[in-house]
């Protein structure tokens, strides 16, 4: 579904990514892991059209999106839940979810999508009239994922979904990610919690200082001595 082919990305004169390639297939969970500042979020910004690669190519469902505007990429079914979650604090839970169904194709299935989101996250149904700014961190993450699902995405990208959350909430979030993947939605998860990410990923990439340094199945990277030493403290 998503194919990133040898992209270089820079912020002005500062190059951040070198020759990065990555693939996400249909109905799959793929992880990108690595330390802070490695280039994970920059890769996602390039995918979503927020940064333009100096070299290389990005395709989604066979269509070149390297120069495609962000709103058109979203309308194609590619949706990002950003690291900062991006909920609108002064709007209610319900209003935030309704915004997720803004594209025309998603509006037609808004009622069906809303029901599914409330099934996945019952707490959002209970608090649908509550302002998003009053929710806990975990609930805001649920709301951000729920709003993305309202778009009826074909590929869901999650940037650091565990950031700032208590361990029990992190477990719940990753259970939901696995559940979503069983419904036919492909997922690309970018995560510093390497152990959790590799446990749910069929395939994974390790990025360091703007370069992909390893890639293999999630199961194999979980037992890789270099990965265990560098990222799991084992």
């Amino acid at each position: 579904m998503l194919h990133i082919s040898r992209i270089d990305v820079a912020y002005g004169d500062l190059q951040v990514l070198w020759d990065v390639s990555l693939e996400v297939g249909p109905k799959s969970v793929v992880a990108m892991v690595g330390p802070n500042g490695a280039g994970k979020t920059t890769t996602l910004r390039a995918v979503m059209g927020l940064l333009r690669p100096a070299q290389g190519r990005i395709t989604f469902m066979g269509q070149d999106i390297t120069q495609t505007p962000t709103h058109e990429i979203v309308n194609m079914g590619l949706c990002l839940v950003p690291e900062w979650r991006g909920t609108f604090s002064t709007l209610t839970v319900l209003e935030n979810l309704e915004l997720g169904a803004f594209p025309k194709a998603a509006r037609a299935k808004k009622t069906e999508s809303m029901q599914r989101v409330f099934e996945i996250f019952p707490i959002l149904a209970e608090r649908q009239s509550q302002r998003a700014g009053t929710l806990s961190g975990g609930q805001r993450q649920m709301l951000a994922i729920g709003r993305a699902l309202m778009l009826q995405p074909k590929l869901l990208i999650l940037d650091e979904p565990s950031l700032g959350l208590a361990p029990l909430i992190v477990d719940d979030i990753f259970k939901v990610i696995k559940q979503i993947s069983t419904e036919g939605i492909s997922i690309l998860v970018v995560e510093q919690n390497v152990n959790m990410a590799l446990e749910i990923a069929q395939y994974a990439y390790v990025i360091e200082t703007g370069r992909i340094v390893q890639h293999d199945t999630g199961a194999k990277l979980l037992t890789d001595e270099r990965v265990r030493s560098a990222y799991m403290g084992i």
Side-chain angles (χ1 to χ4, degrees), residues 21-221:
S21 295
L22 179 151
E23 291 186 0
V24 181
K27 301 180 181 179
S28 64
V29 179
V30 173
M32 175 183 276
V33 300
N36 268 335
K40 300 187 301 296
T41 296
T42 297
T43 303
L44 301 189
R45 289 174 62 84
V47 169
M48 296 304 301
L50 298 169
L51 290 171
R52 300 299 181 197
Q55 293 188 64
R57 188 167 179 253
I58 303 170
T59 61
F60 178 59
M61 297 183 70
Q63 183 172 337
D64 191 332
I65 61 169
T66 315
Q67 302 296 326
T68 303
T70 301
H71 70 280
E72 292 183 17
I73 292 172
V74 172
N75 285 338
M76 292 170 66
L78 185 52
C79 188
L80 168 68
V81 177
E83 177 182 349
W84 49 278
R85 297 175 186 133
T87 56
F88 294 93
S89 298
T90 60
L91 300 182
T92 66
V93 167
L94 185 62
E95 289 168 338
N96 269 273
L97 292 174
E98 287 176 335
L99 282 175
F102 181 78
K104 185 177 180 180
R107 282 201 301 272
K109 297 184 177 181
K110 184 173 73 171
T111 301
E112 173 189 333
S113 298
M114 189 81 70
Q115 181 179 352
R116 185 67 189 124
V117 169
F118 286 156
E119 288 174 358
I120 296 171
F121 301 113
I123 190 66
L124 297 183
E126 295 173 17
R127 307 201 173 189
Q128 58 184 287
S129 60
Q130 187 172 328
R131 292 189 186 278
T134 65
L135 299 175
S136 69
Q139 291 163 359
R140 286 198 300 275
Q141 184 62 276
M142 294 174 191
L143 177 57
I145 295 173
R147 189 179 61 189
L149 292 176
M150 292 293 295
L151 181 72
Q152 296 270 323
K154 297 179 178 70
L155 172 59
L156 183 62
I157 302 177
L158 303 170
D159 191 4
E160 303 286 2
S162 74
L163 186 67
L165 302 182
L168 285 177
I169 301 300
V170 172
D171 287 344
D172 290 342
I173 293 296
F174 273 84
K175 285 176 184 175
V176 166
I177 294 171
K178 289 179 68 175
Q179 178 182 349
I180 293 169
S181 72
T182 65
E183 299 177 3
I185 299 173
S186 292
I187 294 174
L188 172 59
V189 57
V190 168
E191 181 58 69
Q192 286 188 65
N193 189 327
V194 175
N195 191 62
M196 294 289 289
L198 295 182
E199 281 185 355
I200 68 167
Q202 281 100 21
Y203 206 84
Y205 297 79
V206 180
I207 185 169
E208 295 176 358
T209 59
R211 294 175 172 85
I212 301 295
V213 296
Q214 274 182 279
H215 57 93
D216 209 326
T217 65
K220 287 185 178 179
L221 288 178

Side-chain angles (χ1 to χ4, degrees), residues 13-29:
D13 294 331
L14 179 64
Q15 187 166 344
V16 180
L17 298 182
W18 287 263
D19 202 34
V20 168
S21 295
L22 179 151
E23 291 186 0
V24 181
K27 301 180 181 179
S28 64
V29 179

